[in-house]
Amino acid sequence: MSTLTSTSIPAGTEPVRRGPRLSGLNWLVWHQHRAAFWTLIAFTVVAVGWMAYQRGQLTDQLNGIPGWPHPKAGDWEMKVDNSWLTLTGSGLGFIPVVIGVFLGAPLVAGDLENGTAKLVASQSVSRVRWIATKLGITALVVVPLSVVLSVTFNWWWQPVRSRPNILDWTSGTAFDTTGPVPVALTLFTLVGGVAIGMLLRRTLLSMVVTLGFAVAVQLVWSYFRLDLADVVTVTTNSGVGENATPRLPGGAYWVDESYLTANGDLIGWGSCNEATEKATNACLNDKQVIGWSVDYIPFSQMSSMQWFGASILLALTVATTAFILFWGRRRLV
């Protein structure tokens, strides 16, 4: 992108290189966005330190419970303070939005607005290579940091992962901040912001629109999150009295329950919600209710759900990246 001038070096003198160094286009992209990159790195270091400290606090609490790791008291979960775990998980959920708005949207839009893109187009570096380098360097920063945050939060949560009363694994606080999901969400929001910036060509406007896009992604994702699961159904035929409800595996997420009739039909559990117990029993007998049918999602599916969802998000990321490169090649300036 620029002409480099050389200076004479005395014979026998070689420049000292200490470790790998960026050069050329890679150095230019890093230098251009180094403030954002270093901010992300610093935030990650602080966040990891904070979560490591809180992991130690959680471990101390659990070790203070009689019988841990197999406590006999049924109310031991009430003794665990989950406030920081929940608050931190909620905060980590905003990272894809922040990266999309403050890094993705200005990544190319800023160059289009201030004229840098025209300078690039006039140089020997192709527009596709320039955009690919920008995306590549940014991804090389964002992906490892997202992985580190995901692994660290999961490590903090690990001792109580199967206890939904402490942190519900189906919520965004846990599901979207562990495993491959935060990485996939961050990448998709990032490239979505880049695409919006290329189309709108104005930094501030692109950031505002990207904010709406990122929030919409979060809302849609949260709405369809449980659709990634394979719902399991368990039935009983021992009546609907006390203690007749099927026992679900530990950590299972209850989806729905219905009455099971003698001929195998399902009716809503509120169908016999009568004023008196006698009337309720009469209704159950009239409808020939013999037991329960309960739909649930086992905790063991969490990992497969995360990878399935992440694969969808990564496919959308690849498609959006292909559009960015195509558009940048033909209509960048």
Side-chain angles (χ1 to χ4, degrees):
M1 293 181 57
S2 61
T3 303
L4 301 179
T5 57
S6 60
T7 56
S8 59
I9 301 177
T13 303
E14 296 293 337
V16 178
R17 295 185 179 273
R18 299 177 180 178
R21 293 176 179 269
L22 295 176
S23 61
L25 193 57
N26 294 331
W27 176 88
L28 180 62
V29 171
W30 173 268
H31 185 78
Q32 186 180 15
H33 302 286
R34 67 189 184 281
F37 294 156
W38 280 118
T39 300
L40 288 175
I41 293 172
F43 168 81
T44 301
V45 171
V46 173
V48 167
W50 164 257
M51 288 188 283
Y53 171 76
Q54 290 299 329
R55 158 75 185 218
Q57 296 293 101
L58 175 62
T59 301
D60 291 341
Q61 290 184 51
L62 296 176
N63 289 334
I65 297 174
W68 180 261
H70 304 290
K72 296 179 180 180
D75 61 344
W76 68 268
E77 298 174 12
M78 303 298 295
K79 301 178 182 179
V80 178
D81 183 6
N82 66 341
S83 56
W84 282 119
L85 186 67
T86 303
L87 185 61
T88 304
S90 299
L92 292 177
F94 287 102
I95 291 179
V97 178
V98 172
I99 288 180
V101 172
F102 292 99
L103 186 56
L107 194 68
V108 175
D111 293 335
L112 292 171
E113 188 174 23
N114 61 28
T116 304
K118 291 184 178 180
L119 176 62
V120 171
S122 66
Q123 303 298 312
S124 59
V125 177
S126 69
R127 289 172 287 185
V128 172
R129 182 188 170 195
W130 173 64
I131 296 174
T133 302
K134 272 183 167 285
L135 290 175
I137 294 293
T138 305
L140 285 175
V141 174
V142 168
V143 170
L145 299 184
S146 299
V147 170
V148 169
L149 291 173
S150 172
V151 170
T152 307
F153 185 79
N154 184 69
W155 172 64
W156 176 10
W157 179 41
Q158 184 66 40
V160 292
R161 270 175 60 94
S162 62
R163 314 306 299 187
N165 291 336
I166 297 178
L167 185 62
D168 182 7
W169 66 270
T170 63
S171 68
T173 305
F175 194 92
D176 297 349
T177 55
T178 60
V181 174
V183 180
L185 273 173
T186 301
L187 281 177
F188 180 51
T189 308
L190 172 69
V191 298
V194 174
I196 291 171
M198 289 184 62
L199 295 175
L200 298 182
R201 309 172 73 89
R202 293 292 182 271
T203 302
L204 184 58
L205 178 61
S206 299
M207 294 174 69
V208 173
V209 175
T210 300
L211 175 61
F213 165 76
V215 171
V217 168
Q218 294 282 346
L219 292 175
V220 172
W221 173 257
S222 63
Y223 182 80
F224 288 104
R225 185 188 297 121
L226 295 182
D227 292 337
L228 301 171
D230 183 15
V231 177
V232 178
T233 301
V234 59
T235 59
T236 63
N237 57 5
S238 55
V240 294
E242 188 176 356
N243 298 324
T245 305
R247 287 184 174 272
L248 302 184
Y253 176 80
W254 176 89
V255 177
D256 195 10
E257 65 181 3
S258 305
Y259 288 134
L260 177 67
T261 65
N263 58 7
D265 294 334
L266 301 179
I267 60 176
W269 60 269
S271 301
C272 290
N273 189 17
E274 305 296 337
T276 64
E277 182 178 354
K278 183 177 180 179
T280 298
N281 291 333
C283 175
L284 293 173
N285 291 331
D286 181 63
K287 296 181 181 295
Q288 297 182 331
V289 173
I290 62 172
W292 291 101
S293 176
V294 177
D295 297 332
Y296 70 96
I297 303 173
F299 173 66
S300 58
Q301 288 192 20
M302 179 181 180
S303 180
S304 60
M305 290 169 61
Q306 287 180 313
W307 281 104
F308 181 34
S311 65
I312 296 174
L313 291 170
L314 291 175
L316 293 173
T317 300
V318 171
T320 306
T321 302
F323 167 78
I324 291 172
L325 296 176
F326 174 81
W327 188 271
R329 180 181 180 183
R330 293 179 176 271
R331 303 184 181 183
L332 181 64
V333 293

